[in-house]
Amino acid sequence: MAATSGDDIASAAGISTRTVWRYFRSKESCVEPLLAESAYRFMASLRRWPLSSSFEDFLTEDLSASPPTPQDLADDIASVRIISLVRDEPALRASWLMVCGRAEHAFAPIIARRLDLPSDDFRVSLSAATATAAVRVVHEEISIGAVAGAREYTLDDVVTQLGRAIRSSSNEPICDPRPQRSLL
C-alpha cells in the first residue's frame, strides 16, 4: 500500500486526483466504501433475523437462500484481501475501524429488538460494542488465514465462528431464539 499514490488510485478509478482528495481524507480511506458495503449487507441480513431463530440457524438459512451476486462476491473477496492487511498497516486499520464503528451503530437496533429493550439502553450499547468487536476479530482471523492460504473456510465454519464469538462476547442472549409471548 505504501507504494500506491493518490495519483495511482485516481487513475485506477478513472477520476481526477483532485476528486480523490475531495472525498477521502487519505489514500487508505479509499477502501472504506468497499469495506462498508460488505458490512451493510451483513447488517441488512441481520435486520431480517426473526426473533424465533438463533443467530446460527438464521445466518445459515439466509446466506443459503440468497447467495451473493457476482459483484457482491467480488467485493467480498476484495474486502477479505484488504482486511488481511489491517494488522500490519496502521492507516488501513484506521479505515477498517471506522467501518466497524458504523457497523456497531447499525447493530444496536437489531440487538435492542432481540432483547426487547430501547436502542439507547446501556446493555444494548455494550452488547453492540462487544458483538461488533467479536465480528471484527473473526473477520480478521478468517481473512488472514484465507489470504495466507493457511485454511479454507466453508459457510458453516464462518457461521460457527461468528456465533461462538458473538455468544462469548456478551452476557446477553442476543444469539438465542426469543421465546414467543403468550397472548393470554
Side-chain angles (χ1 to χ4, degrees):
M1 187 75 181
T4 304
S5 70
D7 291 333
D8 295 333
I9 293 167
S11 177
I15 58 176
S16 73
T17 302
R18 184 176 173 181
T19 301
V20 169
W21 299 129
R22 181 179 306 139
Y23 291 101
F24 299 100
R25 66 188 176 287
S26 68
K27 64 182 183 178
E28 292 82 6
S29 69
C30 294
V31 302
E32 285 178 30
L34 176 68
L35 297 172
E37 184 60 33
S38 293
Y40 295 152
R41 272 189 283 108
F42 182 62
M43 289 301 149
S45 175
L46 292 181
R47 282 193 283 282
R48 296 188 297 271
W49 180 12
L51 296 174
S52 60
S53 183
S54 73
F55 173 83
E56 296 86 351
D57 289 346
F58 166 72
L59 203 54
T60 299
E61 288 173 23
D62 191 62
L63 292 173
S64 297
S66 50
T69 67
Q71 183 61 57
D72 291 343
L73 190 56
D75 289 349
D76 289 345
I77 290 168
S79 292
V80 163
R81 289 182 177 140
I82 292 165
I83 293 167
S84 74
L85 302 172
V86 300
R87 288 190 179 158
D88 298 324
E89 297 277 346
L92 277 179
R93 183 162 192 75
S95 292
W96 170 231
L97 293 175
M98 293 288 289
V99 170
C100 292
R102 290 192 297 270
E104 179 183 322
H105 290 289
F107 210 176
I110 296 164
I111 291 172
R113 181 174 167 265
R114 296 208 60 83
L115 297 177
D116 198 21
L117 292 170
S119 289
D120 62 352
D121 185 280
F122 175 77
R123 292 168 291 176
V124 170
S125 298
L126 184 59
S127 292
T130 59
T132 303
V135 169
R136 178 185 56 78
V137 170
V138 169
H139 273 86
E140 290 171 13
E141 292 297 320
I142 288 174
S143 295
I144 290 167
V147 169
R151 178 159 180 213
E152 290 185 20
Y153 294 89
T154 66
L155 175 60
D156 287 340
D157 293 334
V158 173
V159 169
T160 298
Q161 285 193 22
L162 285 171
R164 187 178 307 131
I166 293 171
R167 284 177 185 281
S168 66
S169 72
S170 176
N171 288 331
E172 302 296 337
I174 58 178
C175 290
D176 297 332
R178 204 169 88 196
Q180 297 296 329
R181 291 187 179 155
S182 172
L183 296 175
L184 299 176

